[in-house]
Amino acid sequence: MELTRRDFIKASAAAAAFAAVGVSVARPKGAEAAETGITWGKAPCRYCGVGCCVLVGVKGGKIVATKGDPAGPVNKGLNCIKGYFLSKALYGKGRLTTPLIRKGNKMVEASWDEALTLIASKYKEAIAAHGPDSVAMYGSGQWTIHEGYTASKLMKGGIGTNNLEPNARLCMASAVVGFMNTFGSDEPMGCYDDLDLGDTYILWGANMAEAHPVLFSRLIDNKLKHPGVKLIDIATRKTRTTKMADEYIAMKPHGDLAAVNAIIHVILRDKLYDESFIKQHVNFKRGKENAPYGLKDKEVFNETPADIKNLTFDEYKELMKQFTPQWGEKISGIPAKKIEELARIYSDKSRKVNSLWTMGVNQHARGVWVNNLIYNLHLLTGKICKPGENPLSLTGQPSACGTAREVGTFAHRLPADMVVMNEAHRKKTAEIWGIDPAKISAKVGLHTMEMFRAIDRGELKCIWIQCTNPFQSLPNVSRLRKAAEARKAFIVVSDIYPTKSTEVADVILPSASWVEKEGVFGNTERRTQQWFKMIEPPGQAKADTWQLIEFAKRMGLGHLFPYSEKGFYKEMWEEYRKFTIGVGKDLAPYEAYAKVRGLRWPVKPDGKETRWRYTETDDPYVKKGEGVKFYKAPGNKVNAWFRPYEPPAESPDKEYPFWFCTGRLLEHWHTGTMTGRVPELKRAVPGATIEMHPEDAKRIGIKNRDMVRITSRRGTIVLPAEINGRSTPEKGSVFTTFFDETKLINELCIDAFDPLSKEPDFKKCAVKIKKA
Amino acid sequence: MPTEPTHTDISRRQFLKGSAITPLALMLAGSGIAAVYLRPATAGGFTLRPPGAITEKRFLAACVRCGKCAQACPYKSIKMAGGEAGVGIGTPIIIPREMPCYLCSDLPCIKACPSGALDKKLEDIEKVRMGTAVIIDRESCLSIRGLRCEVCYRQCPLIDKAITIEPRHNTRTGEHTIMEPVVHKEKCVGCGICEQSCVLPKPVIVVQRTVEIQKDNYEF
Amino acid sequence: MPISGIVVRCLGSCADSVANQMAAFEGVEVHGVLPDGQIIAVVEADTVDGEVTLVTELQSIEDVISVQLAYHNFEDFEAERP
Ligand code: SF4
Ligand code: SF4
Ligand code: SF4
Ligand code: SF4
């Protein structure tokens, strides 16, 4: 008799029911096979920078199950609710399955060859007429390392332009510049273990409970286990993070710039610093001040060596005298007494102090400065490079670190901390790529905001967008959408679903996502995680690497990618790995990653990972007896920067009396392209709301769920009010999320950016509110 | 092929429908069930009424089945019960999974009620008691299993009052926190938003009949 | 195509008649009746909703005290059906 799988499942069902009433029965062997007829593979979560590991169950070419990977060191089998419904992100309604080409107002199905030949002809045409800097590519911190590497080699080494940017410009650029100009090398010295080992955590404008869900659960566990652990939430609104913190300190928007300076003032005034650490490791510098806000097109601001002054410790102390706690209180809203207290906490020798921050500090008109200042706190007190005691910049995207930063898909970067402006760096890169060094342009490409403005100005003729949704996520987006709608440039968008960006595209290409292709991601704590392809992408969808290389062939650049079909991922990896060896960013051979749940670089010669950089306890680049050595900084000395206070680009006034801040929530990811198609998440949080302080709402006569019109100088939008809900902004501020594609909240945001990092300030502009 | 069952606990078993699998299930001896989920039967007989509804018996007598509350509800949360409701046919009900009550601060449904079936004395939305949310299946609740869900909590209009999060150490992983949602019946209004938003296919948190607090002299 | 294993409780004396009534439902297979009046059955329906309806109907059989779900599988094995 032929028994089907269904019969086995039924047998299991009956057996379980018997067991429930205490009759113990065994499951038939066949039944077990029926349930485990699933092949499980490992992968990192597709969504956030935490980098949870998941197991993906595949049967009959389809994902039938996913679960948190108990062997995953970050999450030990847990996920947040986005991760729980991970596979549904691939099986949502409306996957793009065939290339589409614009014919007037219609998108018409086309073959890959037609689409790619068209793109190549447009790129060639533009390059012939206007040079290689008239074309661009805009990628993503959700690109895999291979995708970013392919794009970088193609644009920088092949086409010969540095017009390559990742959407990480919108989230991590300030952190990057902060790392580079303080330590001479990108990415943190510490890791997630610090969340288990420390006893004091100071959050600067970060809602970790929602933006880094599983990591927050780890941090709180440290608090539960050790009652002495203190969590201080310094922020502009009360969030779910506040609810679990020991202390909430309300701060005015942009107030961090003043508050940290005032804390440093107290540390210096009361001699709370670690003099010997400073002597051994720290140089003091003063940079260029009176910086602009990037509001004018083509505005240039660079901090060149000529602009930088060396300071002695005494000169630095003298300069810092102006930032008294009273001054700090006036500007930041944090009481002077609290500032004094924070200085004492930061310098308390019996406390292991960690600073944690993310978009509050990075999406900031002076984001680099605040990054620098937070490092100063740790450098002055010597609380750095020790297990359980570090500053940790938290990342938002799954591979903002691995791809955007390590591969270097920014307009000024090359792999492994190198930059296009440096001749030696270009030479080394050209050597590994096997090309003429002259091919790599020394001219920094257009950064994200300028790239899209250049479309409006008619200067950029072609742009290819992969794996991101800029026509929803960029600030002051209406100007950019209008330019695109006026067809001022030829726009190609590769994605997995229709988005606000495919809406304005000339060519739409269907992409493979996540386990529909092989890939590698790098998370916040320098952990590199690999996965294999497990299922076929739908229809004609193709991996972004395939798309780029097929395009390259049509551009006569196919020789840049000489990898065999079978060994593609490994061969490209081993080439990329050459950049990382011996420079403190060492990656392991490709096979090593197939076996483990990620490794934190620099990977040691014996194949072991590094948890803490720059310290003899763990880092292979620091010899025993050397203690702490900042070997990536010139003269092994890092920079403590003098960074004064400068106001935000736009502040509330009579006409626009409210601060407007934007961000994330737990249930949705970025512009909602994926999570918006997961019915459970959509049901949980169907759309954006505007969070207000109850007193503000009362004053204007707004009740919970009333429709509210929010207007800035750039746009206007109507959202339902959320009062006394999950978060409450401070009086005078309102907050909303950016996942809702039916509400383009970025039309309201100002396109001011940090002059050093060029990262836009999504957290601050002025709006007026009225009942709609 | 299946051999004769050896288990003797099952004495009076009957085979009412012959099928390939019936003997299979019964021959199963030994142990080894990996996961067994037991869900308690749902609270039979409870109907979620609009805010301010008087006790069920009196409600059935008082309600004139005019549908005015349903008309007044801006979210169409209130539906009129059909034949399946028996004597309750034509009375207003709320099915949270379809549309919960969003707790309008001016309670238009009560204002519209001509019969007194919805109590006009009720003005403070926090005093509404349509029912009480209960986590009926702890084993399935994602948060209790250690995941970061808590969707019901964050969506509750009385967040931190009607539902709070009770954090505790996750002994399995050794380094994470279980953030368990706990409903407080003295604060829960029974609006059903939690039931509607629960991410699982069958809601793990559902609104049930409010059980009176059993008073005694202990006060803490 | 959800399949569930359920435990139906009823008064011990009514178990046989309840089991017979249950067996008459399309999609219900009774697998055993225990002396204390517990009935073990497997329920199969086209959709989860259909399944819920079925369970509700079982609940409304006279003499049934409760219906408990012990096992639930809603995997799609459409392809296998004849
Ligand atoms: S915390 Fe981040 S990485 Fe982990 S499951 Fe959630 S979205 Fe994925
Ligand atoms: S309070 Fe509002 S949402 Fe709730 S039932 Fe009444 S009218 Fe509908
Ligand atoms: S029913 Fe649920 S959402 Fe409504 S008040 Fe009670 S706990 Fe909160
Ligand atoms: S939404 Fe459902 S699964 Fe999530 S915490 Fe609430 S009851 Fe549990």
Side-chain angles (χ1 to χ4, degrees):
Chain A
M1 178 172 41
E2 206 34 53
L3 289 181
T4 62
R5 251 179 41 66
R6 196 160 124 251
D7 293 329
F8 279 121
I9 298 275
K10 283 186 173 174
S12 283
F18 275 115
V21 296
V23 179
S24 72
V25 277
R27 259 190 315 180
K29 275 214 182 86
E32 231 151 65
E35 276 198 329
T36 53
I38 300 173
T39 324
W40 294 93
K42 61 142 190 138
C45 171
R46 171 66 183 76
Y47 294 117
C48 89
V50 169
C52 295
C53 304
V54 294
L55 290 171
V56 186
V58 175
K59 206 166 76 188
K62 239 191 125 179
I63 302 177
V64 293
T66 58
K67 59 180 174 191
D69 185 347
V74 177
N75 58 317
K76 303 237 168 109
L78 302 176
N79 284 127
C80 78
I81 198 66
K82 294 188 292 296
Y84 182 79
F85 290 113
L86 201 42
S87 62
K88 296 205 175 187
L90 303 186
Y91 296 127
K93 276 207 182 87
R95 271 296 290 268
L96 294 168
T97 54
T98 161
L100 299 166
I101 294 177
R102 179 176 295 275
K103 297 260 151 68
N105 280 332
K106 274 215 209 73
M107 298 307 291
V108 181
E109 287 193 9
S111 70
W112 272 107
D113 185 53
E114 273 173 89
L116 289 163
T117 309
L118 172 67
I119 300 168
S121 76
K122 291 282 182 185
Y123 268 71
K124 276 185 198 154
E125 205 177 285
I127 294 166
H130 311 280
D133 285 340
S134 66
V135 300
M137 174 156 296
Y138 185 64
S140 172
Q142 298 157 65
W143 254 348
T144 65
I145 287 180
H146 289 88
E147 287 161 351
Y149 187 74
T150 307
S152 176
K153 201 172 176 187
L154 169 64
M155 296 304 286
K156 302 196 171 195
I159 291 177
T161 176
N162 291 317
N163 285 344
L164 171 67
E165 277 278 282
N167 63 357
R169 180 71 77 180
L170 312 181
C171 68
M172 295 314 296
S174 297
V176 172
V177 181
F179 274 117
M180 292 306 292
N181 67 15
T182 301
F183 302 100
S185 175
D186 196 6
E187 297 192 37
M189 51 291 312
C191 62
Y192 294 165
D193 299 46
D194 293 330
L195 301 179
D196 312 329
L197 301 172
D199 56 26
T200 307
Y201 298 88
I202 302 180
L203 267 69
W204 289 95
N207 181 12
M208 241 183 122
E210 295 207 48
H212 298 88
V214 170
L215 214 51
F216 188 67
S217 140
R218 195 161 153 180
L219 175 60
I220 294 300
D221 193 54
N222 184 5
K223 220 165 89 65
L224 291 176
K225 277 191 270 195
H226 309 105
V229 170
K230 216 173 146 83
L231 181 57
I232 302 174
D233 179 30
I234 307 177
T236 60
R237 65 177 181 132
K238 291 199 185 80
T239 62
R240 292 303 101 202
T241 306
T242 313
K243 187 71 200 164
M244 297 222 161
D246 296 281
E247 191 178 351
Y248 168 70
I249 302 178
M251 178 181 79
K252 287 187 198 161
H254 210 74
D256 41 10
L257 191 52
V260 187
N261 267 318
I263 296 171
I264 296 171
H265 168 98
V266 177
I267 291 174
L268 296 172
R269 183 197 68 196
D270 297 352
K271 302 201 167 34
L272 302 171
Y273 45 82
D274 180 338
E275 186 130 30
S276 75
F277 188 92
I278 295 171
K279 253 205 195 104
Q280 204 187 337
H281 301 292
V282 185
N283 282 328
F284 291 90
K285 298 259 162 84
R286 179 173 190 170
K288 200 166 160 182
E289 284 149 28
N290 296 316
Y293 295 92
L295 285 164
K296 288 195 219 75
D297 277 30
K298 293 188 162 181
E299 195 169 69
V300 195
F301 180 87
N302 283 318
E303 200 169 60
T304 61
D307 301 315
I308 297 168
K309 265 208 265 340
N310 288 318
L311 302 173
T312 64
F313 189 27
D314 286 329
E315 283 168 338
Y316 175 71
K317 280 194 266 190
E318 198 51 41
L319 275 170
M320 289 302 292
K321 279 201 175 136
Q322 52 184 314
F323 303 130
T324 61
Q326 289 68 31
W327 169 86
E329 168 168 351
K330 212 173 76 212
I331 294 180
S332 72
I334 301 177
K337 226 178 81 226
K338 271 280 159 249
I339 289 172
E340 301 262 357
E341 222 176 89
L342 284 165
R344 300 227 134 51
I345 290 173
Y346 263 109
S347 50
D348 185 340
K349 294 238 174 342
S350 67
R351 286 199 162 271
K352 292 185 169 176
V353 185
N354 296 272
S355 303
L356 299 163
W357 69 97
T358 170
M359 293 311 118
V361 167
N362 291 346
Q363 294 176 339
H364 192 305
R366 294 292 178 267
V368 173
W369 289 14
V370 185
N371 272 275
N372 287 151
L373 290 171
I374 293 176
Y375 293 133
N376 288 359
L377 288 171
H378 288 264
L379 292 172
L380 291 172
T381 54
K383 289 180 184 290
I384 194 165
C385 302
K386 291 177 193 149
E389 196 162 30
N390 279 301
L392 180 63
S393 144
L394 299 162
T395 334
Q397 301 191 77
S399 200
C401 285
T403 305
R405 297 163 69 171
E406 288 157 31
V407 173
T409 61
F410 287 90
H412 64 294
R413 288 184 84 167
L414 292 168
D417 287 346
M418 295 193 294
V419 289
V420 297
M421 303 81 93
N422 183 311
E423 199 185 333
H425 292 177
R426 291 198 302 275
K427 219 170 135 247
K428 178 174 174 184
T429 305
E431 222 163 80
I432 295 176
W433 283 351
I435 57 167
D436 176 5
K439 191 75 212 180
I440 303 173
S441 167
K443 190 177 148 212
V444 176
L446 295 168
H447 62 80
T448 297
M449 280 317 299
E450 269 301 298
M451 193 178 266
F452 285 87
R453 286 171 179 175
I455 297 177
D456 187 32
R457 295 196 300 263
E459 291 165 17
L460 196 68
K461 304 297 177 192
C462 298
I463 185 168
W464 188 341
I465 297 157
Q466 282 194 336
C467 202
T468 184
N469 187 6
F471 289 100
Q472 179 173 343
S473 63
L474 289 172
N476 195 9
V477 73
S478 33
R479 169 183 177 189
L480 312 174
R481 288 185 67 82
K482 269 188 214 125
E485 277 155 10
R487 315 249 65 81
K488 289 193 183 179
F490 178 76
I491 300 173
V492 183
V493 178
S494 303
D495 212 318
I496 65 171
Y497 291 110
T499 64
K500 280 285 166 195
S501 300
T502 60
E503 227 172 73
V504 298
D506 294 281
V507 177
I508 301 173
L509 301 174
S511 288
S513 178
W514 196 44
V515 296
E516 292 165 357
K517 63 194 177 193
E518 190 164 331
V520 183
F521 276 167
N523 81 349
T524 299
E525 57 162 354
R526 296 174 273 107
R527 182 183 296 279
T528 313
Q529 305 197 65
Q530 183 269 1
W531 73 92
F532 289 111
K533 175 174 173 175
M534 299 178 204
I535 52 169
E536 285 301 325
Q540 300 175 48
K542 293 280 189 192
D544 289 355
T545 43
W546 182 91
Q547 300 178 15
L548 293 174
I549 293 173
E550 285 303 310
F551 165 74
K553 287 179 192 162
R554 287 164 176 80
M555 295 294 288
L557 297 166
H559 60 276
L560 289 173
F561 308 97
Y563 321 110
S564 71
E565 205 182 310
K566 254 186 95 193
F568 179 83
Y569 289 95
K570 182 182 156 50
E571 287 161 30
M572 186 189 285
W573 181 265
E574 295 307 330
E575 178 187 308
Y576 165 54
R577 191 163 86 93
K578 287 187 197 147
F579 284 99
T580 68
I581 300 298
V583 298
K585 310 208 93 170
D586 312 56
L587 296 171
Y590 196 60
E591 309 80 65
Y593 293 104
K595 289 182 221 125
V596 295
R597 265 56 169 185
L599 287 171
R600 287 171 279 195
W601 59 260
V603 177
K604 300 170 191 172
D606 63 0
K608 293 227 169 63
E609 59 174 2
T610 300
R611 293 194 288 173
W612 292 280
R613 292 169 86 189
Y614 309 132
T615 163
E616 63 168 18
T617 37
D618 206 16
D619 190 328
Y621 286 84
V622 184
K623 285 200 220 56
K624 291 282 163 254
E626 283 183 327
V628 168
K629 185 176 171 191
F630 293 105
Y631 53 85
K632 294 286 283 186
N636 301 331
K637 277 190 149 189
V638 295
N639 297 323
W641 292 87
F642 172 78
R643 301 297 196 189
Y645 180 81
E646 287 180 7
E650 188 179 83
S651 298
D653 52 22
K654 263 221 169 80
E655 202 186 339
Y656 297 93
F658 283 91
W659 286 107
F660 181 69
C661 182
T662 66
R664 262 199 206 159
L665 44 64
L666 199 156
E667 289 84 348
H668 287 284
W669 165 253
H670 280 193
T671 57
T673 308
M674 293 180 285
T675 51
R677 286 178 171 85
V678 177
E680 289 82 357
L681 298 176
K682 187 85 183 163
R683 183 178 61 209
V685 181
T689 60
I690 184 92
E691 293 173 357
M692 298 183 73
H693 192 281
E695 284 178 32
D696 286 336
K698 205 166 159 200
R699 194 161 40 80
I700 313 174
I702 294 166
K703 294 188 303 288
N704 196 26
R705 301 184 73 91
D706 277 354
M707 295 312 271
V708 174
R709 176 167 295 283
I710 310 122
T711 309
S712 80
R713 289 184 175 83
R714 294 152 294 278
T716 179
I717 200 163
V718 175
L719 293 172
E722 186 172 336
I723 298 154
N724 288 328
R726 67 174 74 198
S727 303
T728 301
E730 286 297 318
K731 259 184 271 173
S733 292
V734 295
F735 175 90
T736 189
T737 46
F738 71 105
F739 73 87
D740 188 347
E741 65 174 358
T742 64
K743 303 275 157 50
L744 287 180
I745 60 148
N746 279 309
E747 287 184 349
L748 274 61
C749 292
I750 191 167
D751 49 349
F753 54 78
D754 179 300
L756 293 176
S757 69
K758 331 290 183 210
E759 176 166 343
D761 190 334
F762 290 95
K763 303 289 188 193
K764 281 167 238 116
C765 69
V767 294
K768 58 183 167 195
I769 306 278
K770 78 175 206 276
K771 208 169 150 172
Chain B
M1 277 314 292
T3 49
E4 263 307 289
T6 51
H7 221 287
T8 47
D9 286 6
I10 314 162
S11 51
R12 283 175 46 221
R13 61 179 89 97
Q14 297 190 350
F15 306 108
L16 292 147
K17 254 192 174 177
S19 90
I21 90 112
T22 309
L24 230 183
L26 289 172
M27 55 141 272
L28 310 164
S31 63
I33 305 302
V36 171
Y37 321 109
L38 260 187
R39 288 189 175 83
T42 45
F46 174 66
T47 320
L48 191 59
R49 300 293 183 189
I54 53 181
T55 54
E56 183 69 11
K57 240 197 187 135
R58 286 168 46 226
F59 181 84
L60 281 173
C63 174
V64 295
R65 286 113 162 114
C66 65
K68 289 206 165 123
C69 53
Q71 268 174 348
C73 177
Y75 303 102
K76 303 204 166 34
S77 310
I78 305 180
K79 312 227 160 32
M80 304 314 282
E84 77 285 348
V87 287
I89 184 169
T91 54
I93 55 168
I94 291 176
I95 305 164
R97 234 8 201 189
E98 285 170 17
M99 190 61 82
C101 164
Y102 286 106
L103 229 53
C104 310
S105 48
D106 50 347
L107 293 163
C109 42
I110 300 189
K111 288 214 178 82
C113 177
S115 68
L118 304 182
D119 184 358
K120 290 215 160 46
K121 285 199 292 295
L122 183 66
E123 279 172 349
D124 179 356
I125 49 170
E126 295 203 11
K127 296 239 165 69
V128 170
R129 288 295 175 273
M130 293 177 261
T132 306
V134 177
I135 298 201
I136 54 162
D137 182 4
R138 293 175 49 85
E139 286 78 2
S140 298
C141 171
L142 298 176
S143 291
I144 297 177
R145 287 159 77 195
L147 280 80
R148 285 295 319 279
C149 177
E150 316 120 45
V151 164
C152 52
Y153 160 73
R154 286 190 301 277
Q155 291 304 109
C156 172
L158 295 166
I159 182 170
D160 290 331
K161 294 182 196 150
I163 311 187
T164 56
I165 292 294
E166 304 298 329
R168 65 170 187 276
H169 172 62
N170 184 332
T171 48
R172 186 188 62 79
T173 71
E175 56 188 34
H176 296 89
T177 311
I178 292 176
M179 300 192 184
E180 174 172 355
V182 174
V183 180
H184 302 276
K185 84 171 166 195
E186 64 289 0
K187 292 281 161 62
C188 170
V189 296
C191 66
I193 292 176
C194 53
E195 177 172 343
Q196 185 260 348
S197 63
C198 177
V199 293
L200 289 175
K202 293 177 188 169
V204 158
I205 185 165
V206 301
V207 179
Q208 298 188 339
R209 178 179 288 126
T210 307
V211 181
E212 281 296 308
I213 295 177
Q214 307 185 33
K215 285 233 164 68
D216 57 26
N217 297 318
Y218 290 80
E219 273 169 34
F220 302 106
Chain C
M1 168 63 67
I3 292 176
S4 297
I6 57 168
V7 179
V8 178
R9 277 171 178 283
C10 54
L11 295 173
S13 54
C14 312
D16 288 356
S17 95
V18 171
N20 275 312
Q21 288 182 55
M22 282 171 59
F25 281 93
E26 174 80 17
V28 178
E29 282 173 13
V30 175
H31 283 240
V33 181
L34 304 187
D36 58 353
Q38 298 196 77
I39 303 166
I40 311 298
V42 172
V43 174
E44 191 183 1
D46 288 333
T47 59
V48 171
D49 283 346
E51 193 196 0
V52 173
T53 320
L54 199 51
V55 169
T56 322
E57 279 169 15
L58 294 179
Q59 233 159 18
S60 60
I61 297 178
E62 264 210 48
D63 300 325
V64 167
I65 298 166
S66 73
V67 179
Q68 291 184 309
L69 201 52
Y71 177 96
H72 186 55
N73 183 299
F74 46 92
E75 201 184 316
D76 188 11
F77 30 89
E78 204 56 36
E80 275 195 7
R81 302 184 93 187

